[in-house]
Structures are given as structure tokens and as C-alpha cells.
Amino acid sequence: MPLNLPNILTWIRILMIPLILGTYYLPDSWLSPAAKNLFGASLFVLAAITDWFDGYLARKWNQLSPFGAFLDPVADKLMVAAALILLVQLDRADAWLAAIIIGREITISALREWMAQLGATRSVAVSFVGKLKTTAQMIAITVLLLHENVIPGLPTQQLGSICLQIAAMLTLWSMGYYLRMAWPELNGRKTD
């Protein structure tokens, strides 16, 4: 495992997951519910920024590694899954939306692993729709973790719920895209 700043940022993102979750379980005497929401959402945003930043630095400094390529998406999926499960428990997100998003992440991870074994990873490389899906998920989760109406007249919980529904639709769309791209291999035909 190469020890470089991009990989360290990925490890930091993984280590932030229990901090984000733990924030919501602190006693109210330590942090008020509003402070928990603000602190937890802020930690999640910071973790999401490290996701972008570690990839940027790895490409810029030519520090791409097989280990980093493995760890980065694992960190992303752990962060999203943990946050969604927390939001369901806090009654801020519907379980069926969380199941769609987490189920897609598992399915596409398995598809990418299988395609790598076949030597066809290019057919399931990250696409624009995948990046759009990730952005929508990060926004939705952040807004739902925040939960507080920070802008008068803007119902944060409703906005977060709408964003999560959009993220789930993009999740299904991106899954369809990746499955369509992998279909020749899944169907037993070789691509040109």
C-alpha cells in the first residue's frame, strides 16, 4: 500500500464515518440536536470534499495506484451506506430509497469486479451519469443530515427528501447505463 496524500485522505474519509454517526448519538447535554445536525452534516461535507480532493491529487501528482483505485470507491460506498442507514434510523429518509441506493452500489461494485476479471473494465468505467448520481447523493444526504431550516421559508427536510428521490432515480439510471454497457459481456458476446 503506497503511503501518499491521496491514500491518506481516503483513510481519513473512512475514519470519519464513525465520527459522523457518533455525533447523532451524543447526549443532548453535550450537543443540542441542532448542533448535532450542523456538526454531523459538516463532517459529511468535509468527507465528501476529501473524496473529490484525493482523486484530483492522485491524478495531478501521478500517484494513482491499484490500492488507491480499490480503496477510494470502498470508502465512498461505506460513507454513503452508513449515512443512509443513519438517516433511516433518524426517520429522515425512507428505507426503500436507501435500499435502492445501497443495492445499486453493491450491484455495480460486483459488476465492476466481474468485468475486471474478464478484462473488460472499460465498459463499466465511471461515467458522467455516475458522477451526477454521486453529486445528487452527497447533496441529499448533507441536507437530510442538516435537517434544520437554516434559510427561513426553505423546508430543509422536504428539500432533502426530494433530493434523495432524485438521487435514487439517478442511481437507477446509472445502474441501467452500466448494465447496458456491460451487456455484451453479460450476454456472452465480445465487444469490438
Side-chain angles (χ1 to χ4, degrees):
M1 170 188 86
L3 192 58
N4 55 39
L5 186 56
N7 285 345
I8 291 169
L9 288 173
T10 304
W11 278 114
I12 289 171
R13 188 163 66 256
I14 291 170
L15 294 173
M16 287 179 74
I17 295 168
L19 294 176
I20 294 166
L21 299 178
T23 297
Y24 291 89
Y25 293 99
L26 291 173
D28 289 349
S29 60
W30 290 14
L31 274 180
S32 69
K36 290 178 195 179
N37 291 334
L38 181 59
F39 189 65
S42 298
L43 284 175
F44 187 83
V45 168
L46 183 61
I49 290 169
T50 68
D51 178 28
W52 175 84
F53 203 54
D54 65 8
Y56 171 78
L57 290 178
R59 287 184 297 277
K60 181 176 177 159
W61 295 343
N62 197 26
Q63 293 183 340
L64 301 169
S65 68
F67 182 77
F70 156 76
L71 190 63
D72 183 64
V74 169
D76 300 343
K77 286 159 185 40
L78 287 172
M79 188 174 80
V80 167
L84 286 171
I85 292 167
L86 174 67
L87 289 169
V88 168
Q89 184 176 10
L90 294 173
D91 200 27
R92 297 182 190 178
D94 291 325
W96 67 273
L97 290 171
I100 286 172
I101 293 170
I102 294 169
R104 180 265 185 209
E105 299 300 344
I106 293 168
T107 301
I108 298 306
S109 292
L111 178 66
R112 284 194 172 122
E113 181 179 337
W114 185 56
M115 296 302 279
Q117 290 176 359
L118 297 176
T121 54
R122 288 183 45 177
S123 62
V124 286
V126 175
S127 68
F128 174 74
V129 70
K131 291 180 181 185
L132 191 62
K133 176 266 315 174
T134 299
T135 302
Q137 285 178 357
M138 296 303 176
I139 291 169
I141 292 169
T142 300
V143 171
L144 290 169
L145 287 172
L146 183 57
H147 192 65
E148 303 295 323
N149 291 334
V150 290
I151 301 172
L154 185 65
T156 304
Q157 179 61 39
Q158 291 173 339
L159 179 63
S161 295
I162 292 167
C163 288
L164 192 61
Q165 291 170 17
I166 292 168
M169 285 187 285
L170 288 169
T171 295
L172 292 173
W173 180 19
S174 70
M175 184 171 77
Y177 172 82
Y178 289 125
L179 289 171
R180 185 171 48 88
M181 296 306 292
W183 185 250
E185 292 293 336
L186 292 171
N187 202 26
R189 292 177 282 134
K190 296 289 182 193
T191 57
D192 294 330

